[in-house]
Every structure is written in C-alpha cells, then in structure tokens.
Amino acid sequence: EREIACERLVFNTTEDILLAMQDSGVSYAELAKRLGKSKSHVSQILNGTRNMTLRTLADISYVIDCEIKLKMAWMYPIKL
C-alpha cells in the first residue's frame, strides 16, 4: 500500500503540472529553459524516473506562475 500511495502522489502531481503547463502554453523545452535545466532532465522529472524534490516542485510552480496547494487527508476513518 505504501508504494501505491507514493506512485499515486507522483502521478497526480505530475499530471497537475502537465495540465498547468498546457493551460499556460508552456512546453517541456520552455519549462527547461525557465528552470535552467535540460529538456531531458525535465522529462525525467515529469515522467517519474527522476525524483522530484519539494524545492523542484516549488521552482516549477514559480516558473509557470502557479501556486501549489498541498492537502493531506486521512486515508481511513480515525477510531477514537
């Protein structure tokens, strides 16, 4: 279950980034240029083969002019 939760978070995060890029008209090449990284580096981050740190996520959101909102919720009901 832990691995599935990790994969779900990576998938959802990268999908949100890709949608924001699409809405902003930002390509992989343009994102790479704005980040000062190679296009292959950006591709690896967005396809999940390279670890995305919170700092990288913040940098990406900044250069595509989006705000990151993180929401944590209990996976199972809490028993008191």
Side-chain angles (χ1 to χ4, degrees):
E1 288 186 33
R2 186 181 203 173
E3 186 64 29
I4 292 170
C6 289
E7 291 301 320
R8 186 180 309 121
L9 178 60
V10 170
F11 177 81
N12 290 338
T13 302
T14 55
E15 282 297 304
D16 286 349
I17 291 169
L18 292 169
L19 289 171
M21 288 171 60
Q22 185 178 26
D23 290 347
S24 301
V26 176
S27 66
Y28 275 61
E30 179 62 25
L31 180 61
K33 180 180 173 185
R34 292 180 186 185
L35 291 170
K37 304 286 184 186
S38 68
K39 185 179 172 190
S40 65
H41 180 88
V42 168
S43 293
Q44 290 170 351
I45 289 172
L46 296 180
N47 71 23
T49 58
R50 182 180 287 260
N51 189 34
M52 183 185 328
T53 65
L54 289 176
R55 187 167 306 279
T56 301
L57 180 58
D59 287 344
I60 291 171
S61 69
Y62 178 80
V63 300
I64 61 174
D65 199 29
C66 286
E67 181 182 11
I68 299 294
K69 292 188 177 188
L70 179 65
K71 178 183 175 185
M72 295 182 71
W74 296 107
M75 293 172 54
Y76 308 103
I78 300 173
K79 296 178 183 177
L80 299 176

